[in-house]
Short mmCIF file of all heavy atoms in Angstrom, two decimals:
data_model
loop_
_atom_site.label_atom_id
_atom_site.label_comp_id
_atom_site.label_asym_id
_atom_site.label_seq_id
_atom_site.Cartn_x
_atom_site.Cartn_y
_atom_site.Cartn_z
N LEU V 97 161.75 67.61 98.76
CA LEU V 97 160.67 66.89 99.42
C LEU V 97 160.93 65.40 99.57
O LEU V 97 160.49 64.79 100.54
CB LEU V 97 159.36 67.12 98.66
CG LEU V 97 158.95 68.59 98.53
CD1 LEU V 97 157.75 68.73 97.62
CD2 LEU V 97 158.68 69.18 99.90
N GLU V 98 161.64 64.82 98.59
CA GLU V 98 162.01 63.41 98.73
C GLU V 98 163.12 63.06 97.76
O GLU V 98 163.31 63.72 96.74
CB GLU V 98 160.80 62.49 98.58
CG GLU V 98 160.32 62.23 97.20
CD GLU V 98 159.03 61.41 97.14
OE1 GLU V 98 158.06 61.71 97.88
OE2 GLU V 98 159.00 60.48 96.33
N GLY V 99 163.90 62.06 98.13
CA GLY V 99 165.02 61.62 97.31
C GLY V 99 166.20 62.56 97.44
O GLY V 99 166.28 63.39 98.35
N SER V 100 167.14 62.44 96.52
CA SER V 100 168.32 63.31 96.51
C SER V 100 168.88 63.37 95.10
O SER V 100 168.56 62.54 94.26
CB SER V 100 169.38 62.79 97.48
OG SER V 100 169.85 61.54 97.04
N GLY V 101 169.73 64.36 94.87
CA GLY V 101 170.38 64.47 93.57
C GLY V 101 169.91 65.63 92.71
O GLY V 101 170.05 65.60 91.49
N MET V 102 169.39 66.69 93.33
CA MET V 102 169.00 67.89 92.57
C MET V 102 170.16 68.86 92.57
O MET V 102 170.56 69.36 93.62
CB MET V 102 167.77 68.53 93.21
CG MET V 102 167.21 69.72 92.46
SD MET V 102 166.42 69.20 90.94
CE MET V 102 167.12 70.39 89.80
N GLY V 103 170.75 69.09 91.40
CA GLY V 103 171.92 69.95 91.29
C GLY V 103 171.60 71.31 90.70
O GLY V 103 170.73 71.45 89.83
N VAL V 104 172.30 72.32 91.20
CA VAL V 104 172.22 73.69 90.67
C VAL V 104 173.63 74.07 90.25
O VAL V 104 174.56 74.02 91.05
CB VAL V 104 171.67 74.66 91.73
CG1 VAL V 104 171.66 76.09 91.19
CG2 VAL V 104 170.27 74.23 92.18
N TYR V 105 173.80 74.42 88.98
CA TYR V 105 175.11 74.69 88.39
C TYR V 105 175.18 76.12 87.86
O TYR V 105 174.16 76.71 87.52
CB TYR V 105 175.34 73.80 87.15
CG TYR V 105 175.31 72.33 87.35
CD1 TYR V 105 174.11 71.65 87.54
CD2 TYR V 105 176.48 71.59 87.29
CE1 TYR V 105 174.08 70.27 87.68
CE2 TYR V 105 176.47 70.21 87.42
CZ TYR V 105 175.26 69.56 87.62
OH TYR V 105 175.24 68.19 87.75
N LEU V 106 176.40 76.61 87.73
CA LEU V 106 176.67 77.79 86.91
C LEU V 106 177.41 77.27 85.68
O LEU V 106 178.43 76.58 85.80
CB LEU V 106 177.54 78.79 87.67
CG LEU V 106 176.82 79.51 88.81
CD1 LEU V 106 177.81 80.34 89.61
CD2 LEU V 106 175.71 80.39 88.27
N ILE V 107 176.87 77.59 84.52
CA ILE V 107 177.47 77.13 83.26
C ILE V 107 178.01 78.35 82.53
O ILE V 107 177.30 79.34 82.36
CB ILE V 107 176.43 76.40 82.37
CG1 ILE V 107 175.78 75.24 83.14
CG2 ILE V 107 177.05 75.92 81.08
CD1 ILE V 107 176.71 74.13 83.52
N PHE V 108 179.26 78.26 82.10
CA PHE V 108 179.93 79.37 81.42
C PHE V 108 180.05 79.06 79.94
O PHE V 108 180.30 77.92 79.55
CB PHE V 108 181.29 79.64 82.06
CG PHE V 108 181.18 80.05 83.50
CD1 PHE V 108 181.35 79.12 84.52
CD2 PHE V 108 180.87 81.36 83.84
CE1 PHE V 108 181.22 79.49 85.85
CE2 PHE V 108 180.73 81.74 85.17
CZ PHE V 108 180.91 80.80 86.17
N TYR V 109 179.88 80.11 79.12
CA TYR V 109 179.89 79.98 77.66
C TYR V 109 180.87 80.98 77.07
O TYR V 109 181.05 82.07 77.60
CB TYR V 109 178.50 80.27 77.09
CG TYR V 109 177.43 79.33 77.57
CD1 TYR V 109 176.76 79.55 78.77
CD2 TYR V 109 177.08 78.21 76.82
CE1 TYR V 109 175.77 78.68 79.22
CE2 TYR V 109 176.09 77.34 77.26
CZ TYR V 109 175.45 77.58 78.45
OH TYR V 109 174.47 76.71 78.89
N GLY V 110 181.44 80.60 75.91
CA GLY V 110 182.31 81.49 75.17
C GLY V 110 181.52 82.38 74.23
O GLY V 110 180.28 82.34 74.20
N SER V 111 182.22 83.16 73.42
CA SER V 111 181.56 84.10 72.50
C SER V 111 180.72 83.38 71.46
O SER V 111 179.76 83.95 70.94
CB SER V 111 182.60 84.99 71.82
OG SER V 111 183.52 84.20 71.10
N ASP V 112 181.04 82.11 71.18
CA ASP V 112 180.26 81.33 70.22
C ASP V 112 179.01 80.71 70.86
O ASP V 112 178.28 79.96 70.23
CB ASP V 112 181.12 80.22 69.61
CG ASP V 112 181.71 79.28 70.65
OD1 ASP V 112 181.45 79.46 71.87
OD2 ASP V 112 182.46 78.38 70.26
N ARG V 113 178.78 81.04 72.13
CA ARG V 113 177.65 80.54 72.92
C ARG V 113 177.70 79.03 73.14
O ARG V 113 176.68 78.39 73.39
CB ARG V 113 176.31 80.97 72.32
CG ARG V 113 176.14 82.48 72.37
CD ARG V 113 174.81 82.92 71.78
NE ARG V 113 174.72 84.36 71.83
CZ ARG V 113 173.95 85.04 72.68
NH1 ARG V 113 173.21 84.40 73.54
NH2 ARG V 113 173.92 86.35 72.66
N LYS V 114 178.90 78.48 73.06
CA LYS V 114 179.10 77.06 73.35
C LYS V 114 179.63 76.93 74.77
O LYS V 114 180.44 77.74 75.22
CB LYS V 114 180.06 76.42 72.36
CG LYS V 114 179.46 76.27 70.98
CD LYS V 114 180.35 75.47 70.07
CE LYS V 114 179.68 75.36 68.71
NZ LYS V 114 180.52 74.67 67.76
N HIS V 115 179.18 75.89 75.44
CA HIS V 115 179.56 75.61 76.83
C HIS V 115 181.08 75.44 76.92
O HIS V 115 181.67 74.70 76.14
CB HIS V 115 178.83 74.34 77.25
CG HIS V 115 179.19 73.83 78.60
ND1 HIS V 115 179.42 72.51 78.83
CD2 HIS V 115 179.36 74.45 79.78
CE1 HIS V 115 179.72 72.33 80.09
NE2 HIS V 115 179.68 73.49 80.69
N LEU V 116 181.70 76.14 77.86
CA LEU V 116 183.13 76.00 78.09
C LEU V 116 183.37 74.77 78.95
O LEU V 116 182.91 74.70 80.10
CB LEU V 116 183.71 77.24 78.79
CG LEU V 116 183.66 78.54 77.99
CD1 LEU V 116 184.12 79.70 78.87
CD2 LEU V 116 184.51 78.44 76.75
N VAL V 117 184.05 73.79 78.41
CA VAL V 117 184.32 72.56 79.14
C VAL V 117 185.43 72.83 80.15
O VAL V 117 186.48 73.37 79.80
CB VAL V 117 184.72 71.43 78.17
CG1 VAL V 117 185.06 70.16 78.94
CG2 VAL V 117 183.59 71.16 77.18
N ARG V 118 185.16 72.49 81.39
CA ARG V 118 186.14 72.67 82.46
C ARG V 118 186.51 71.31 83.01
O ARG V 118 185.67 70.40 83.04
CB ARG V 118 185.57 73.56 83.57
CG ARG V 118 185.30 74.97 83.06
CD ARG V 118 184.65 75.82 84.11
NE ARG V 118 183.24 75.44 84.21
CZ ARG V 118 182.50 75.68 85.26
NH1 ARG V 118 182.99 76.28 86.30
NH2 ARG V 118 181.24 75.33 85.28
N SER V 119 187.72 71.17 83.47
CA SER V 119 188.15 69.88 83.99
C SER V 119 187.38 69.48 85.25
O SER V 119 187.21 68.31 85.53
CB SER V 119 189.66 69.89 84.28
OG SER V 119 189.94 70.87 85.25
N LYS V 120 186.92 70.47 86.00
CA LYS V 120 186.22 70.17 87.24
C LYS V 120 185.06 71.14 87.42
O LYS V 120 185.17 72.14 88.10
CB LYS V 120 187.19 70.28 88.41
CG LYS V 120 186.65 69.74 89.69
CD LYS V 120 187.71 69.76 90.78
CE LYS V 120 187.14 69.17 92.05
NZ LYS V 120 188.10 69.19 93.13
N ALA V 121 183.94 70.85 86.78
CA ALA V 121 182.75 71.69 86.94
C ALA V 121 182.09 71.35 88.27
O ALA V 121 181.90 70.18 88.59
CB ALA V 121 181.78 71.47 85.79
N ALA V 122 181.76 72.34 89.04
CA ALA V 122 181.15 72.13 90.35
C ALA V 122 179.65 72.37 90.28
O ALA V 122 179.16 73.04 89.37
CB ALA V 122 181.77 73.10 91.35
N SER V 123 178.94 71.81 91.23
CA SER V 123 177.52 72.08 91.35
C SER V 123 177.17 72.12 92.83
O SER V 123 177.93 71.69 93.68
CB SER V 123 176.69 71.01 90.65
OG SER V 123 176.73 69.79 91.37
N PHE V 124 176.01 72.64 93.10
CA PHE V 124 175.46 72.63 94.45
C PHE V 124 174.38 71.56 94.45
O PHE V 124 173.49 71.58 93.59
CB PHE V 124 174.86 73.99 94.80
CG PHE V 124 174.13 73.99 96.11
CD1 PHE V 124 174.81 74.21 97.29
CD2 PHE V 124 172.77 73.74 96.15
CE1 PHE V 124 174.14 74.19 98.51
CE2 PHE V 124 172.09 73.72 97.36
CZ PHE V 124 172.79 73.94 98.54
N THR V 125 174.42 70.64 95.40
CA THR V 125 173.38 69.62 95.52
C THR V 125 172.44 70.01 96.63
O THR V 125 172.86 70.21 97.78
CB THR V 125 174.00 68.24 95.79
OG1 THR V 125 174.91 67.93 94.74
CG2 THR V 125 172.92 67.17 95.84
N LEU V 126 171.17 70.12 96.30
CA LEU V 126 170.15 70.49 97.27
C LEU V 126 170.06 69.41 98.35
O LEU V 126 169.85 68.24 98.04
CB LEU V 126 168.80 70.63 96.55
CG LEU V 126 167.67 71.31 97.27
CD1 LEU V 126 168.01 72.77 97.56
CD2 LEU V 126 166.40 71.23 96.44
N PRO V 127 170.27 69.78 99.62
CA PRO V 127 170.21 68.77 100.69
C PRO V 127 168.78 68.28 100.93
O PRO V 127 167.82 68.94 100.57
CB PRO V 127 170.74 69.51 101.91
CG PRO V 127 170.73 70.95 101.59
CD PRO V 127 170.60 71.11 100.12
N ALA V 128 168.67 67.12 101.53
CA ALA V 128 167.36 66.56 101.87
C ALA V 128 166.77 67.38 103.01
O ALA V 128 167.20 67.27 104.15
CB ALA V 128 167.50 65.09 102.26
N ASP V 129 165.83 68.24 102.69
CA ASP V 129 165.18 69.09 103.68
C ASP V 129 163.86 69.56 103.10
O ASP V 129 163.84 70.23 102.07
CB ASP V 129 166.07 70.28 104.03
CG ASP V 129 165.59 71.04 105.26
OD1 ASP V 129 164.38 70.99 105.56
OD2 ASP V 129 166.42 71.69 105.90
N ALA V 130 162.77 69.20 103.74
CA ALA V 130 161.44 69.54 103.23
C ALA V 130 160.99 70.95 103.58
O ALA V 130 159.88 71.35 103.25
CB ALA V 130 160.41 68.52 103.73
N GLU V 131 161.85 71.72 104.24
CA GLU V 131 161.53 73.11 104.58
C GLU V 131 162.24 74.06 103.62
O GLU V 131 163.36 73.79 103.19
CB GLU V 131 161.97 73.42 106.02
CG GLU V 131 161.30 72.57 107.07
CD GLU V 131 159.80 72.75 107.12
OE1 GLU V 131 159.33 73.91 107.01
OE2 GLU V 131 159.08 71.74 107.28
N TRP V 132 161.61 75.18 103.31
CA TRP V 132 162.24 76.18 102.46
C TRP V 132 163.50 76.73 103.14
O TRP V 132 163.47 77.07 104.32
CB TRP V 132 161.30 77.36 102.20
CG TRP V 132 160.25 77.07 101.17
CD1 TRP V 132 158.92 76.91 101.40
CD2 TRP V 132 160.44 76.95 99.77
NE1 TRP V 132 158.27 76.68 100.22
CE2 TRP V 132 159.18 76.70 99.20
CE3 TRP V 132 161.55 77.00 98.94
CZ2 TRP V 132 158.99 76.51 97.83
CZ3 TRP V 132 161.37 76.82 97.57
CH2 TRP V 132 160.11 76.58 97.03
N LYS V 133 164.59 76.79 102.37
CA LYS V 133 165.83 77.39 102.84
C LYS V 133 166.46 78.16 101.68
O LYS V 133 166.26 77.81 100.52
CB LYS V 133 166.81 76.33 103.34
CG LYS V 133 166.34 75.63 104.61
CD LYS V 133 167.48 75.27 105.50
CE LYS V 133 167.04 74.83 106.86
NZ LYS V 133 166.18 73.72 106.96
#
Side-chain angles (χ1 to χ4, degrees):
L97 302 173
E98 78 186 47
S100 65
M102 184 71 226
V104 177
Y105 300 75
L106 289 173
I107 304 296
F108 298 98
Y109 299 85
S111 60
D112 58 1
R113 295 181 181 253
K114 289 188 180 176
H115 175 224
L116 295 174
V117 177
R118 295 176 284 159
S119 61
K120 191 175 182 181
S123 71
F124 172 86
T125 303
L126 194 64
D129 192 334
E131 299 298 320
W132 282 109
K133 292 214 169 59

